[in-house]
Amino acid sequence: MSAAGDAGGVVAVSGTLEPFLGPLTGLVIDAAIFVAVVAATYVLYKAVITPLVRRVFDRQGLDEHARRPLQKIIAFLVLFAGVTVAFGAAGYQGFLRSLATIAAAATLAIGFALQDVIKNFVAGVFIYTDRPFRIGDWIEWQDNSGVVEDISFRVTRVRTFDNELLTVPNAVLTGDVVKNPVAKKTLRLKFVFGIDYEDDVEQATDIIVEEAEKSEAILDDPAPSVRLTELADSYVGLQSRIWIDDPSRADFVKARADYVKAVKARFDEEGISIPFPQRTVSGRNEWTDPSSFGGEA
């Protein structure tokens, strides 16, 4: 009954428009049906599917890193389904069959032409599933570093600390070593303080630890530590190891800078020197005229 009613409605509309459109009546009606179905699909996606998907994401506790690619996949699937139904409702089944034949014939050529795109797409899937980093993380790879702003199927966009936007193919990030300093809740920082050989190592060690304990940015647990790691040409190297909580690039730079500045001020107060490289030149005790080396001038 419903199909008969729909067919009757289409015939009635066709009869009404035929005096105005003539032979184009069928074409116009099919196009109108196609557009109406696509528009209805879009409205359905915005009004029903999107809120439903958001509630499911909230219930599962998914973060922004996981939401974006899943939302894009769902939007593509809904659009594809809507267009397919629109073609069928408009009576374009023959066009769909022809399109499928053309697509099958072109698949091989497209596969060769889009090797890099497909490779980056697969890499994007791995980034989503393995989660080596997320949106908002500070990452380092090769000679680059920055904060992840967006992860798409093909590329990842990273904002450098000089406010430059890097668009990085996903295959680059999955095919190379990526350092994620903020993957955990804490980050260990290391800094080597060089003191003079004549200075007291124990006194310098106590100063380094005390200044770390005074800093609000440095954690008490794990406790700061100092190790003698170098006996260099002109200094004794004391490596300080400290931990900070919930690190970001700004916190990391500021915490270390303030800490090093405080240790330097204490060294100056206690008379502990930070030596610079020195060279000792030895030779003849008395100057001899170079002309005498070869005999008479």
Side-chain angles (χ1 to χ4, degrees), residues 53-169:
V53 168
R54 288 176 180 171
R55 285 197 293 270
V56 173
F57 288 168
D58 293 337
R59 187 177 303 171
Q60 296 297 323
L62 296 180
D63 56 16
E64 191 67 18
H65 170 87
R67 289 179 182 235
R68 290 192 182 184
L70 287 178
Q71 287 174 341
K72 292 177 181 178
I73 292 175
I74 293 172
F76 173 79
L77 293 177
V78 172
L79 178 62
F80 179 79
V83 171
T84 302
V85 173
F87 273 120
Y92 295 152
Q93 291 88 348
F95 176 78
L96 281 177
R97 287 192 292 269
S98 301
L99 184 63
T101 304
I102 296 173
T107 298
L108 184 60
I110 293 175
F112 282 112
L114 300 180
Q115 289 185 42
D116 291 338
V117 175
I118 296 173
K119 179 173 65 175
N120 289 319
F121 174 81
V122 174
V125 174
F126 287 147
I127 290 175
Y128 165 68
T129 55
D130 296 341
R131 296 187 179 182
F133 52 82
R134 301 183 180 186
I135 294 175
D137 282 0
W138 151 36
I139 63 173
E140 297 178 356
W141 76 101
Q142 297 177 358
D143 295 327
N144 302 294
S145 63
V147 177
V148 179
E149 285 197 347
D150 180 58
I151 302 173
S152 67
F153 290 123
R154 192 179 63 86
V155 299
T156 297
R157 294 175 177 83
V158 180
R159 179 75 61 179
T160 70
F161 301 109
D162 295 327
N163 203 32
E164 300 172 337
L165 183 63
L166 301 181
T167 301
V168 188

Side-chain angles (χ1 to χ4, degrees), residues 229-246:
T229 57
E230 295 183 56
L231 295 175
D233 293 340
S234 57
Y235 67 89
V236 176
L238 300 177
Q239 185 184 83
S240 172
R241 301 177 181 181
I242 58 176
W243 293 82
I244 63 174
D245 188 25
D246 193 17

